[in-house]
Protein backbone atom coordinates (compact mmCIF):
# COMPACT_ATOMS: atom_id res chain seq x y z
CA UNK A 1 0.00 0.00 0.00
CA UNK A 2 1.33 3.40 -0.92
CA UNK A 3 1.71 6.50 1.19
CA UNK A 4 -1.15 8.29 -0.57
CA UNK A 5 -3.49 5.36 0.03
CA UNK A 6 -2.47 5.07 3.69
CA UNK A 7 -2.88 8.79 4.36
CA UNK A 8 -6.22 8.93 2.56
CA UNK A 9 -7.44 5.92 4.59
CA UNK A 10 -6.45 7.59 7.86
CA UNK A 11 -8.08 10.86 6.84
CA UNK A 12 -11.20 8.99 5.72
CA UNK A 13 -11.38 7.21 9.08
CA UNK A 14 -11.09 10.57 10.86
CA UNK A 15 -13.82 12.18 8.74
CA UNK A 16 -16.16 9.22 9.23
CA UNK A 17 -15.51 9.24 12.98
CA UNK A 18 -16.21 12.98 13.15
CA UNK A 19 -19.45 12.45 11.28
CA UNK A 20 -20.62 9.60 13.50
CA UNK A 21 -19.38 10.91 16.86
CA UNK A 22 -20.15 14.63 16.55
CA UNK A 23 -22.26 15.70 13.56
CA UNK A 24 -24.92 12.98 13.46
CA UNK A 25 -25.73 13.01 17.20
CA UNK A 26 -25.75 16.81 17.34
CA UNK A 27 -28.00 17.15 14.31
CA UNK A 28 -30.27 14.42 15.64
CA UNK A 29 -30.55 16.27 18.95
CA UNK A 30 -31.53 19.52 17.21
CA UNK A 31 -34.01 17.75 14.94
CA UNK A 32 -35.57 15.98 17.91
CA UNK A 33 -35.83 19.32 19.76
CA UNK A 34 -37.57 20.81 16.73
CA UNK A 35 -40.13 18.01 16.54
CA UNK A 36 -40.73 18.04 20.29
CA UNK A 37 -41.37 21.79 20.20
CA UNK A 38 -43.59 21.41 17.14
CA UNK A 39 -45.70 18.77 18.88
CA UNK A 40 -46.01 21.04 21.90
CA UNK A 41 -46.92 24.03 19.75
CA UNK A 42 -43.91 26.04 20.92
CA UNK A 43 -43.08 28.00 17.77
CA UNK A 44 -40.09 29.88 19.21
CA UNK A 45 -38.38 26.72 20.45
CA UNK A 46 -39.23 24.95 17.20
CA UNK A 47 -37.66 27.72 15.15
CA UNK A 48 -34.56 27.65 17.35
CA UNK A 49 -34.21 23.88 16.94
CA UNK A 50 -34.72 24.11 13.19
CA UNK A 51 -32.16 26.93 12.89
CA UNK A 52 -29.61 24.97 14.93
CA UNK A 53 -30.21 21.88 12.78
CA UNK A 54 -29.89 23.89 9.57
CA UNK A 55 -26.69 25.49 10.84
CA UNK A 56 -24.98 22.11 10.79
CA UNK A 57 -25.91 21.35 7.18
CA UNK A 58 -22.87 23.06 5.60
CA UNK A 59 -20.56 21.12 7.93
CA UNK A 60 -22.36 17.84 7.27
CA UNK A 61 -22.28 18.45 3.51
CA UNK A 62 -18.57 19.20 3.63
CA UNK A 63 -17.90 16.02 5.58
CA UNK A 64 -19.92 13.92 3.12
CA UNK A 65 -18.07 15.43 0.16
CA UNK A 66 -14.76 14.80 1.96
CA UNK A 67 -15.77 11.17 2.60
CA UNK A 68 -16.59 10.62 -1.07
CA UNK A 69 -13.41 12.33 -2.26
CA UNK A 70 -11.16 10.49 0.16
CA UNK A 71 -12.78 7.16 -0.68
CA UNK A 72 -12.11 7.78 -4.38
CA UNK A 73 -8.51 8.84 -3.71
CA UNK A 74 -7.97 5.79 -1.54
CA UNK A 75 -9.43 3.46 -4.16
CA UNK A 76 -7.38 5.00 -6.95
CA UNK A 77 -4.16 5.03 -4.92
CA UNK A 78 -4.46 1.46 -3.69
CA UNK A 79 -5.07 -0.23 -7.03
CA UNK A 80 -2.30 -2.53 -8.21
CA UNK A 81 0.08 -1.08 -10.75
CA UNK A 82 1.77 -3.11 -13.50
CA UNK A 83 5.23 -2.75 -11.92
CA UNK A 84 3.92 -3.87 -8.52
CA UNK A 85 2.77 -7.27 -9.80
CA UNK A 86 5.07 -10.22 -9.50
CA UNK A 87 5.97 -11.84 -12.76
Amino acid sequence: IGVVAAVSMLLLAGVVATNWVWIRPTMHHHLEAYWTAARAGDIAAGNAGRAAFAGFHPIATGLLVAQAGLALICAAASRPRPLDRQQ
Side-chain angles (χ1 to χ4, degrees):
I1 188 165
V3 174
V4 173
V7 170
S8 63
M9 278 188 227
L10 290 173
L11 289 173
L12 179 60
V15 170
V16 169
T18 300
N19 189 17
W20 279 85
V21 172
W22 177 52
I23 294 294
R24 288 176 59 100
T26 303
M27 288 184 76
H28 179 74
H29 169 74
H30 291 307
L31 186 61
E32 198 60 38
Y34 166 74
W35 282 111
T36 301
R39 281 188 219 97
D42 188 348
I43 294 172
N47 286 339
R50 183 171 47 129
F53 178 79
F56 275 90
H57 266 270
I59 299 168
T61 300
L63 286 174
L64 290 175
V65 168
Q67 286 178 16
L70 287 168
L72 288 173
I73 291 169
C74 184
S78 61
R79 68 175 174 74
R81 290 162 188 74
L83 295 178
D84 292 343
R85 295 184 187 152
Q86 292 187 6
Q87 310 220 350

